[in-house]
Amino acid sequence: TVQLKISGYDVQFPFKPYASQLGVMSKVLKAADNGENALLESPTGSGKSLALLCSALAWQERWKSDRAKGRGGGSVKIDDDGWI
């Protein structure tokens, strides 16, 4: 496992990522921070799914940690059932 620092997040990745995967992870984290959608394109076989999952998990871990410490959830909205 490779430990990466992307946009201030600690992201765990199973191997050294391609440049395109770093770009996807950076955009996913930025969109999640801002509570926005993101449209991401990359060729077949470039590792989009893995990059998305790893960055989303890193964001979720930080979000849970911040909430537990009373720092709020940023611009992220939570519905009545507790879903992000």
Side-chain angles (χ1 to χ4, degrees):
T1 302
V2 176
Q3 186 74 20
L4 305 165
K5 191 71 140 182
I6 302 172
S7 300
Y9 285 86
D10 295 319
V11 180
Q12 294 184 35
F13 209 72
F15 51 83
K16 185 178 179 218
Y18 302 130
S20 62
Q21 290 173 314
L22 290 171
V24 166
M25 289 187 278
S26 177
K27 296 293 185 183
V28 166
L29 292 167
K30 181 179 177 185
D33 272 343
N34 295 322
E36 299 173 344
N37 297 321
L39 178 63
L40 307 165
E41 288 184 294
S42 193
T44 301
S46 61
K48 293 179 296 293
S49 297
L50 182 59
L52 172 63
L53 288 170
C54 290
S55 56
L57 288 171
W59 182 87
Q60 183 186 40
E61 285 299 316
R62 162 94 74 73
W63 185 81
K64 288 188 330 187
S65 173
D66 286 351
R67 291 225 15 190
K69 294 175 184 172
R71 294 188 201 148
S75 61
V76 177
K77 294 171 182 54
I78 304 170
D79 69 14
D80 294 335
D81 296 321
W83 289 91
I84 296 174

